[in-house]
Amino acid sequence: MTVDLLYFAWVRERIGLPRERVDTDAATVGELITELAAREERYALAFSDLSALRVAVDQELSSLDAPLTGVREIAVFPPMTGG
Amino acid sequence: MTVDLLYFAWVRERIGLPRERVDTDAATVGELITELAAREERYALAFSDLSALRVAVDQELSSLDAPLTGVREIAVFPPMTGG
Amino acid sequence: MDIRVQPATFDPGAEANAFTAASRGSGAVVTFTGIVRDTEAGTLRHLEIEHYPGMTASSIKAIAGEAVARWSLDAVLVIHRHGALAPGEAIMMVATAARHRAGAFAAADFLMDYLKSRAPFWKKEVRTDGADWVDAKAEDEAALSRW
Amino acid sequence: MDIRVQPATFDPGAEANAFTAASRGSGAVVTFTGIVRDTEAGTLRHLEIEHYPGMTASSIKAIAGEAVARWSLDAVLVIHRHGALAPGEAIMMVATAARHRAGAFAAADFLMDYLKSRAPFWKKEVRTDGADWVDAKAEDEAALSRW
């Protein structure tokens, strides 16, 4: 399947891209992240500490065990610092 | 001793005066109030429910058992409704 | 510490901006503005606010000083009107400035609870069908136990 | 419900006044304004605020809608900026209007806690001696458990 990945803050800086489209057979968001981390050093660096990552699935806050079926957009970012 | 008495809100309206000077031998604020209540109907009306009264002694919130020695100004009023 | 007790109207937004501009270094400003509400039936002519001139400013200063110390406020403002106030007019405002939001919120909330029940103001509703002193609410007195 | 996510500066006092004027019938208006604080050393060039455009407004709307329902608010306003903000500039503001003060205070406090940790904004300090992403604080995450 094909999914749009968006990165924000230092996740974006470490990966060097604000967004990209990827093909994957991963079943969950967490599996997709692990797959990417194995692919290139910059992903490994961005995703080295999973506890420091937050994810949104189709623009709703979600978790690493969220299934990928039917998903179009996944965002990966550090804990938010609004306000 | 002589003391200035100030009245506010419905205490003032029932007594019909914003302030007056009284001579008293009362030992406490509560005794002074009881003395006044016995004096005239309008005081009896204003002071009929002691639990509905608050007092300030020399411009500090106080209580009915506060001694009168050395006191110059006593204010009697309903519970405050600021804000 | 800026404490004002006055009959005159004031502009809450302009006061809030001036307060914020004067508190550079603060990350958080909280304001509370109390507004005269009409009755459900729309019968309010005005709210008459009486106060105890000899005690009002000093009691507010004491309350505000406690808030400054307790929440390390950078600044505090209290404006409270007295006299006749029409529906929709601002009765009073409180503003607090602190480094972080928790202190600014807690201090403003605290100040309001104390101003409600411990500052010498009394409100009278003057309506087209009569006039009544506003009763103190048990919940306002109870709110003080939070602090 | 008025939710704005924008790079432009805004005037918190003017917004507060317009908000209050539009909420006639409310007795209580609470505002929170967050301001860019310089570092202790005075080295801050600006704060860079990044956000997730596809999600920002909708997530704030969801949070604000929850506040309106929970505290029976008459009105709510959230303005949050993104982009480069200089020290002393307003980052964001929240305003809540309710019949009584308790609801207005609680709702504004709640909204701030959720905006801090659940709205997709990220802050970067750009200083004369470097640049760093601001870390989320454990106390901000913990504050959510109050609600």
Side-chain angles (χ1 to χ4, degrees), chain A residues 58-70:
Chain A
D58 286 337
Q59 308 183 350
E60 297 273 356
L61 290 178
S62 188
S63 61
L64 293 177
D65 57 7
L68 284 195
T69 319

Side-chain angles (χ1 to χ4, degrees), chain C residues 62-146:
Chain C
I63 294 165
E66 194 178 328
V68 167
R70 192 156 159 189
W71 287 283
S72 303
L73 299 182
D74 297 321
V76 63
L77 164 71
V78 179
I79 302 174
H80 204 304
R81 294 177 62 198
H82 55 90
L85 282 70
E89 286 187 16
I91 303 170
M92 51 82 63
M93 81 176 279
V94 157
T96 55
R99 287 176 63 86
H100 301 292
R101 75 189 186 288
F105 267 118
D109 202 359
F110 164 88
L111 281 167
M112 287 309 305
D113 279 352
Y114 272 82
L115 289 170
K116 277 272 166 191
S117 303
R118 292 291 180 272
F121 293 99
W122 299 272
K123 291 194 186 99
K124 189 181 202 171
E125 276 187 5
V126 181
R127 301 181 312 271
T128 52
D129 63 347
D132 288 294
W133 290 97
V134 174
D135 279 330
K137 290 184 203 148
E139 71 203 55
D140 286 337
E141 186 66 30
L144 295 178
S145 66
R146 297 195 290 150

Side-chain angles (χ1 to χ4, degrees), chain B residues 9 12-13 59 73 78 81 83, chain C residues 50 52 54 121 123-124 133:
Chain B
R12 172 180 57 69
E13 288 180 340
Q59 307 183 348
E73 181 174 302
T81 53
Chain C
E50 183 170 334
Y52 180 178
F121 293 99
K123 291 194 186 99
K124 189 181 202 171
W133 290 97

Side-chain angles (χ1 to χ4, degrees), chain A residues 6-10 12-13 54 56 58-61 73-75 77-83, chain D residues 50-52 54-55 80 91-92 112 115-124 133-136:
Chain A
L6 278 69
Y7 309 118
F8 293 100
W10 53 254
R12 172 181 56 71
E13 289 181 339
R54 300 291 179 270
D58 286 337
Q59 308 183 350
E60 297 273 356
L61 290 178
E73 181 174 303
I74 293 168
F77 41 77
M80 291 152 278
T81 53
Chain D
E50 184 170 335
H51 78 123
Y52 180 178
M55 186 180 157
H80 203 304
I91 303 170
M92 52 82 63
M112 286 309 305
L115 289 170
K116 278 271 166 193
S117 304
R118 291 291 181 271
F121 293 98
W122 300 272
K123 292 194 186 98
K124 189 180 200 172
W133 290 97
V134 174
D135 280 328

